[in-house]
Every structure is written in C-alpha cells, then in structure tokens.
Amino acid sequence: FPYTTLFRSVGELARDLAEGYGDGAAWFATNEEAAAWLKAQAAPGDAVLVKGSRSMKMEEVAKALEE
C-alpha cells in the first residue's frame, strides 16, 4: 500500500514543529496558504488529516478541500 507521510503546520507558534520534523515538513503562515497548497497537491483518494485547536480555525482548511 503506497503512501506518503507529510507534515504541514500553520501559524507562527507551529513554525518550530515543522523545522523539528525535518524532511517532508513545511510551514504556512495562514490557513489560506495551507489550503491552497493542499488543493494543488491532494489527489482523489488521498487521505488528509486536518488537526488543530479551535483557535486556529482549521475547519477553514478542511472546508477548502471540500470545494
């Protein structure tokens, strides 16, 4: 079963997480940037986990994927 594990983080407080993860990680300043990247990269059948605190409004990213 082929798969790729990527780590993407959003927001200033999460920048260090991406840097600490190493290869395969990227950081976005805003939800809009993250959503645009995901929409460009995700393919039908891909599984995407969007996880974050309510204060980060990650539902914006999940909704963008549905559009």
Side-chain angles (χ1 to χ4, degrees), residues 29-43:
T30 67
N31 287 343
E32 292 80 15
E33 290 176 8
W37 184 89
L38 280 168
K39 287 179 80 167
Q41 299 298 316

Side-chain angles (χ1 to χ4, degrees), residues 9-57:
S9 63
V10 179
E12 193 59 42
L13 295 176
R15 184 190 297 246
D16 290 342
L17 293 173
E19 291 174 3
Y21 187 90
D23 291 341
W27 172 82
F28 301 100
T30 67
N31 287 343
E32 292 80 15
E33 290 176 8
W37 184 89
L38 280 168
K39 287 179 80 167
Q41 299 298 316
D46 286 353
V48 178
L49 171 65
V50 178
K51 171 77 176 91
S53 67
R54 287 287 303 126
S55 65
M56 289 303 297
K57 301 180 182 176

